Amino acid sequence: MASPLFYALSAIAILCALGVVIARNPMQSVLNLLGSFVALAAIYLLSGFQFLAAAQILVYAGAIMVLFIFVVMLLNLTDREEGQPILMGLFNGRVIGSLAVFAGLAVSGLISTTGNFAAVDASAHGGDLDNMESLAGVLFSKYMLPFEAASLLLLATLVGVMLLAKRERSGSQGGGQA
Amino acid sequence: MKDYNLLWLMPLLPFLGSIVCGALHFATLSARKKNPEVGAGPGALAAPVAILAMVGSFVVAVTAFFKLKGLDAAGRAMGVESSPWHWIDMGPFSVDLSMVVDPLSAIMILVITGIGTLIHIYSSGYIKGDPGFAKFFAYLNLFVAMMLMLVLSSNLVGLFVGWEGVGLCSYLLIGFWYDKGWPAEAGQKAFVVNRIGDACFLIGAFLLIRLFGTLDASDIAAGVAGILENGEQMKDLGLAALLMFGGACGKSAQFPLMVWLPDAMAGPTPVSALIHAATMVTAGVYLIARMNPVYAACPDVLFFIGCVGALTAFIGATSAIRQTDIKKVLAYSTVSQLGYMFLGLSTGVWAAAVFHLVTHAFFKGLLFLGSGSVIHGMHHEQDMYKMGGLRKHMPKTFLTFMVGAAALAGLPLLSGYFSKDEILFLAFGHGGGYIVLWAVGLISAAMTAYYTWRMVALTFFGEERFDVDKVHPHESPTSMTMPLMVLAVLAALGGLLNLPHVLPGYGVMKHWLEPVTDLGTRVFEATGFVESHAGATTEWLLLALGAGVALLFSHLGFRRYLNGPEPDMADARRAPGLTGFLGNAWRLDGIFEIFILIPVRLLSEFISAIVDKLCIDGAVNGVASMAKLIGDDTRKMTTGSVKSYAVWMGVGAAALSLLLIWI
Amino acid sequence: MNVPTEHLLILAAVLFSLGALGFLLRRNLIVILASVELMLNAANLTFLAGARAHSSVGPLNLDGPIFALFVILVAACEAALGLALVIAFYRQKQSVDIEAAAELRG
């Protein structure tokens, strides 16, 4: 049962990736990316990485893609651009959106059948691969340093983004120039 | 062997004197820059400094001599020595350097420091007023230091250091007035010809190392006896002896490397006196005397040395007959007398050569200084044809010069007579092929008397051939005439040092040198070489013959030129025929030019044009242009287009990952 | 539920190459950034596939998921900063065409 699902999901992922590369409109491109992310999350789930699937949806699909779409709309890039390679009319936003919905349904379907995907391969371990407990245990002991560094990285990103995206002020207000 | 560490003072004092004089020279230069009117400036101090250094050195030499005298014969063989300095250590070959005063080097150091001091005093008068006053004394002192190093070293390596050092100083002093063309070229010629000799010396030294494993003089002497039976090694020894003689030829101006000595007259006259009469040119003779066991073991090489010596004596004497420059006469005369010294060495009686070395230093030094006095008084005129009748104007110079000339010509009872006749007697007495050498030597002696008195007649007698209004010859100052007088006494009485066997009080020097020459004598006993067969009667006959020849030819030469030169003898160098041949020293310079200089010049031009310009410059420039080409190509990568950068990043990443996978 | 590891890796490879192609061939900055995200995702997938394979034959390998987590985190930061740069770039050049950024031509 899982195997055909896997191939279907991977087909979706690949097609969406193709769409990212080929799409004329940057908006289309971004939406295709979204679809690809969702498909990948489903694949993670299929492989037994529950937490990571959730993280993928939350961070990638939820935050990063939103940011992309936000910027595309801010800069008003939704119109077509000139002189692009291969245009396939198939890969416009509607088709993609539907494919994304389908992927989401598949994910929810999978989640609803939780019991069926304990360890994917007959693992010698009783516990799951992506058990929250075990992950947390490792994260806060062995990978404590990267964890803390990551928080610094986020802080730096915060500051950097604020500085970069600031609108230049014309006039005598000298402080806070980007 | 006594430990006499103060021996180091002997070369050290002149060396320090040289440095101080050099500093004084630079002080003078900077003083002159500030104020061009200053005369000698601080440089005037150079003369007293240098003379003081020389006197100090002489004192040490005399002290060492007396110390040596105090030892018995065995002690004298070892000599007075300073403690050795371990210089080179290369495993099987090591060099321990120490200063050794044995009978041979004792004679040398007395000559070097004694006559050196006299010449320093003379120079203070001769070089006065020259802008390079201090520099001259610096070079002169350095020369003495190097020469002392040469004769005092216990090891051939130290000797070679001194050897090269005196070559350098000779170059510096010949080319002292280097802003004129001739002195600079002459200095270079001397150095280059010397170099040829040095190359032979070095190869000979290498052979000796191969044979004996050491270059220590006493060790080699001891080692010679050990290999007398070994035919293979004896051949090597003969070759080494020959090569070292080649080195001696270069330094002592024997045929064919004699061409530099006449040109060395470009230097100031004190230089000619010290370096090219008394000391440096005798280094070759000293070397062979020091290595006498080696040469004693090779009688064929000895005969060859004799031939070269006799030939050189002949060439020198014949060339001197037709010279017009007073210094050139003396230069060729020196070449000739050096030939005699080597002839003396070849008879196996080393003391005879050393004796002639000493007397030659006396009378030739005297003659050179005297000629310097004449030149000084004639305002640097050197052409004898423009002199004449000077005896009225320079009495002291004239008298001392006469003594020197008499000694050189071999007039009886003066030093030159005894030393030259000793050599000729020994050559005659040896028999065999040496008879020919004796005959050549006798003819050369005749010619020596002839040209010497020709020189005297042209210079001091006859009518005055110079412009009386323009030239006012005058006697030289005391600083110059005093050394002349001292040397005159030595030249007159020097014969007492080694009278012939038939006279009472004979052979003082020969006896003195026995501790050193005994090593050679023992080898002679082993090889069956007999030095001389002649008896007392022969000796008396030859003494009489020598006296007669000298007197006759002196008289002939004097009479012939009393009334001035022949009308067609204006410049012997340009004259055709025999005169030109002799005047140009058998055209040796021309032969060198054709056979050596021109091919070398062609070769260097070829290398310069083709090898240097095409190949090497081409390669270097080629590398540079290749770098430029590559740079031009890769410059095209900076397009400014981010996409192309991204493409290159991707290509690089792919290549790296491939590399990581495959390696 | 048996997904062979090789298939996961093949998928990851295909996604990565597509991302690389988009990165190199497209001129729109937004699309380029999106391709980068795609490549990061493919790398994540590789990590997880590897962790899975290791765990099935040895001790439980948690390095994979942890690393993938951190990749997601870093990708988020990078995307944020990249987009901020896009905005700044747009302000200067009034375009998001990468060919406009050719001032260092030389």
Side-chain angles (χ1 to χ4, degrees):
Chain A
M1 175 58 186
S3 253
L5 188 56
F6 169 71
Y7 289 118
L9 282 171
S10 40
I12 296 175
I14 290 178
L15 284 171
C16 284
L18 207 59
V20 170
V21 174
I22 288 175
R24 268 277 195 95
N25 197 326
M27 194 60 174
Q28 287 179 6
S29 183
V30 168
L31 288 174
N32 277 316
L33 189 61
L34 178 65
S36 181
F37 284 167
V38 172
L40 269 177
I43 292 175
Y44 291 166
L45 203 54
L46 212 52
S47 310
F49 295 98
Q50 303 103 314
F51 175 65
L52 222 49
Q56 174 95 346
I57 298 287
L58 273 173
V59 177
Y60 255 122
I64 296 181
M65 284 300 105
V66 167
L67 199 56
F68 263 95
I69 292 171
F70 181 71
V71 168
V72 169
M73 295 210 170
L74 180 68
L75 301 180
N76 221 356
L77 297 172
T78 48
D79 40 12
R80 290 190 178 209
E81 53 178 299
E82 347 53 69
Q84 265 316 116
I86 318 143
L87 163 68
M88 301 212 183
L90 303 155
F91 294 96
N92 57 32
R94 281 163 281 179
V95 177
I96 300 313
S98 41
L99 277 173
V101 169
F102 167 61
L105 284 174
V107 169
S108 37
L110 283 168
I111 294 175
S112 61
T113 55
T114 344
N116 286 345
F117 37 83
V120 184
D121 295 303
S123 163
H125 316 277
D128 285 350
L129 200 56
D130 202 11
N131 192 326
M132 281 292 294
E133 271 181 53
S134 46
L135 263 185
V138 171
L139 186 64
F140 285 102
S141 57
K142 186 169 163 195
Y143 296 106
M144 191 59 182
L145 184 59
F147 180 70
E148 299 296 335
S151 58
L152 267 176
L153 176 66
L154 286 166
L155 179 65
T157 312
L158 202 63
V159 172
V161 169
M162 267 173 42
L163 278 173
L164 280 170
K166 229 169 179 196
R167 200 173 277 280
E168 287 188 16
R169 277 176 221 265
S170 55
S172 49
Q173 247 161 323
Q177 275 285 43
Chain B
M1 176 177 331
K2 285 191 99 171
D3 247 355
Y4 184 41
N5 282 340
L6 287 178
L7 268 183
W8 281 100
L9 268 183
M10 223 195 302
L12 189 65
L13 280 174
F15 187 71
L16 289 174
S18 160
I19 294 179
V20 171
C21 288
L24 285 170
H25 174 65
F26 285 117
T28 313
L29 284 180
S30 53
R32 207 168 278 150
K33 248 193 265 202
K34 292 185 198 130
N35 173 16
E37 297 305 312
V38 73
L45 282 173
V49 167
I51 294 176
L52 216 63
M54 286 302 297
V55 170
S57 197
F58 182 62
V59 167
V60 177
V62 171
T63 321
F65 173 76
F66 279 110
K67 259 196 161 51
L68 187 65
K69 208 156 179 293
L71 300 172
D72 63 352
R76 274 188 232 153
M78 305 285 268
V80 174
E81 190 169 350
S82 68
S83 41
W85 173 44
H86 195 64
W87 182 21
I88 299 177
D89 194 347
M90 289 196 304
F93 176 69
S94 69
V95 173
D96 277 329
L97 208 55
S98 60
M99 310 246 126
V100 177
V101 177
D102 65 0
L104 179 61
S105 52
I107 298 177
M108 295 298 295
I109 59 178
L110 285 175
V111 167
I112 295 168
T113 52
I115 298 191
T117 311
L118 288 173
I119 294 184
H120 273 73
I121 298 173
Y122 180 92
S123 305
S124 64
Y126 190 83
I127 301 287
K128 194 190 260 183
D130 191 291
F133 188 75
K135 192 167 60 153
F136 186 78
F137 282 100
Y139 288 159
L140 217 58
N141 259 13
L142 184 65
F143 170 81
V144 173
M146 286 289 149
M147 189 71 202
L148 284 172
M149 175 119 191
L150 197 158
V151 298
L152 285 173
S153 287
S154 62
N155 192 300
L156 276 181
V157 179
L159 189 149
F160 192 65
V161 172
W163 187 276
E164 291 293 321
V166 297
L168 169 72
C169 292
S170 170
Y171 165 76
L172 289 171
L173 283 165
I174 293 175
F176 186 66
W177 293 311
Y178 54 80
D179 34 4
K180 305 178 197 126
W182 182 37
E185 286 172 13
Q188 203 167 12
K189 183 175 181 180
F191 198 82
V192 170
V193 176
N194 245 240
R195 222 60 191 111
I196 302 173
D198 293 347
C200 295
F201 182 107
L202 277 174
I203 301 178
F206 294 152
L207 273 173
L208 284 176
I209 294 179
R210 197 151 70 101
L211 278 172
F212 299 109
T214 172
L215 282 182
D216 195 87
S218 40
D219 288 346
I220 292 180
V224 168
I227 67 165
L228 280 176
E229 304 303 311
N230 187 331
E232 189 60 46
Q233 286 191 306
M234 284 303 285
K235 264 191 269 182
D236 279 346
L237 188 67
L239 190 60
L242 200 61
L243 285 168
M244 301 214 83
F245 172 62
C249 278
K251 195 63 92 186
S252 297
Q254 295 299 292
F255 179 84
L257 296 174
M258 51 182 269
V259 291
W260 64 271
L261 194 51
D263 276 298
M265 297 300 117
T269 314
V271 170
S272 309
L274 181 62
I275 300 186
H276 307 124
T279 42
M280 187 183 88
V281 291
T282 57
V285 181
Y286 169 78
L287 175 70
I288 296 187
R290 165 69 71 206
M291 293 275 113
N292 64 68
V294 172
Y295 286 94
C298 313
D300 295 328
V301 176
L302 273 183
F303 184 63
F304 180 72
I305 294 178
C307 294
V308 172
L311 179 64
T312 310
F314 186 70
I315 295 178
T318 51
S319 304
I321 295 182
R322 284 285 173 260
Q323 296 300 316
T324 59
D325 183 337
I326 191 173
K327 280 180 72 176
K328 283 262 176 77
V329 176
L330 292 173
Y332 285 109
S333 169
T334 308
V335 169
S336 180
Q337 298 302 307
L338 286 168
Y340 272 106
M341 288 183 221
F342 281 98
L343 179 60
L345 284 172
S346 74
T347 62
V349 181
W350 324 98
V354 176
F355 180 43
H356 195 58
L357 193 158
V358 174
T359 60
H360 178 260
F362 292 152
F363 61 69
K364 194 49 72 58
L366 169 62
L367 284 170
F368 265 114
L369 293 185
S371 73
S373 179
V374 167
I375 293 170
H376 185 82
M378 293 286 287
H379 303 292
H380 291 276
E381 174 62 68
Q382 288 182 229
D383 188 345
M384 287 193 296
Y385 288 1
K386 297 204 180 77
M387 298 181 191
L390 285 178
R391 71 180 188 283
K392 304 182 219 106
H393 302 276
M394 308 177 168
K396 285 193 213 133
T397 310
F398 166 65
L399 283 169
T400 50
F401 201 90
M402 287 268 281
V403 176
L408 173 57
L411 293 181
L413 299 187
L414 290 165
S415 56
Y417 170 66
F418 287 116
S419 58
K420 208 187 300 185
D421 263 43
E422 182 78 9
I423 293 176
L424 289 175
F425 163 65
L426 287 167
F428 186 82
H430 198 270
Y434 282 81
I435 300 279
V436 179
L437 300 182
W438 169 80
V440 174
L442 190 63
I443 298 174
S444 309
M447 287 193 284
T448 305
Y450 187 82
Y451 70 67
T452 309
W453 286 93
R454 165 182 181 264
M455 175 174 62
V456 172
L458 282 174
T459 311
F460 291 103
F461 288 85
E463 50 183 77
E464 296 173 2
R465 288 182 295 280
F466 48 87
D467 193 337
V468 192
D469 299 320
K470 296 214 189 93
V471 181
H472 304 283
H474 56 85
E475 185 60 87
S476 303
T478 322
S479 58
M480 286 167 65
T481 53
M482 189 275 277
L484 288 177
M485 292 193 274
V486 173
L487 283 172
V489 171
L490 286 171
L493 301 175
L496 290 171
L497 282 172
N498 199 33
L499 291 171
H501 195 81
V502 292
L503 291 177
Y506 66 88
V508 170
M509 191 180 279
K510 187 158 172 209
H511 183 68
W512 169 259
L513 279 176
E514 255 160 29
V516 175
T517 59
D518 266 349
L519 300 160
T521 312
R522 263 180 256 141
V523 176
F524 281 143
E525 280 160 21
T527 57
F529 181 97
V530 178
E531 287 133 16
S532 180
H533 307 276
T537 331
T538 326
E539 189 155 11
W540 278 115
L541 279 173
L542 286 174
L543 279 174
L545 180 64
V549 163
L551 283 167
L552 175 66
F553 280 89
S554 304
H555 179 78
L556 283 175
F558 186 69
R559 274 242 84 90
R560 177 78 181 74
Y561 288 94
L562 196 49
N563 298 313
E566 300 99 332
D568 56 344
M569 286 284 293
D571 192 347
R573 270 176 291 173
R574 266 175 244 134
L578 186 64
T579 312
F581 181 71
L582 291 182
N584 281 307
W586 295 40
R587 304 226 188 255
L588 271 180
D589 278 332
I591 296 178
F592 270 114
E593 172 98 26
I594 297 176
F595 286 102
I596 298 182
L597 285 186
I598 292 183
V600 170
R601 220 174 276 148
L602 284 175
L603 183 67
S604 43
E605 271 167 33
F606 168 75
I607 292 180
S608 154
I610 296 185
V611 174
D612 195 33
K613 275 209 181 60
L614 275 185
C615 304
I616 298 180
D617 279 356
V620 172
N621 289 342
V623 169
S625 22
M626 222 179 11
K628 186 169 183 291
L629 280 170
I630 295 178
D632 278 340
D633 271 332
T634 46
R635 184 164 61 89
K636 299 192 182 111
M637 259 175 63
T638 58
T639 56
S641 150
V642 179
K643 272 190 45 179
S644 62
Y645 293 162
V647 169
W648 282 113
M649 270 170 57
V651 168
L656 259 178
S657 39
L658 268 171
L659 210 71
L660 283 171
I661 295 174
W662 289 109
I663 296 183
Chain C
M1 304 285 188
N2 231 346
V3 183
T5 318
E6 295 81 16
H7 290 98
L8 280 173
L9 289 175
I10 292 173
L11 174 64
V14 171
L15 287 176
F16 188 86
S17 0
L18 283 173
L21 272 171
F23 177 74
L24 294 174
L25 292 175
R26 293 296 301 258
R27 283 166 62 176
N28 194 313
L29 268 176
I30 305 282
V31 177
I32 290 178
L33 282 172
S35 315
V36 173
E37 298 299 327
L38 199 52
M39 282 196 278
L40 285 166
N41 265 298
N44 262 349
L45 190 56
T46 317
F47 274 121
L48 294 175
R52 226 165 76 103
H54 272 106
S55 302
S56 64
V57 295
L60 189 64
N61 189 334
L62 288 169
D63 293 335
I66 294 285
F67 219 97
L69 193 64
F70 278 109
V71 171
I72 292 178
L73 192 149
V74 170
C77 298
E78 168 247 329
L81 273 170
L83 288 168
L85 278 169
V86 168
I87 293 180
F89 185 77
Y90 183 81
R91 276 209 205 108
Q92 292 291 107
K93 307 274 177 187
Q94 267 66 50
S95 142
V96 282
D97 189 336
I98 205 166
E99 294 296 329
E103 277 178 31
L104 279 179
R105 169 171 292 277

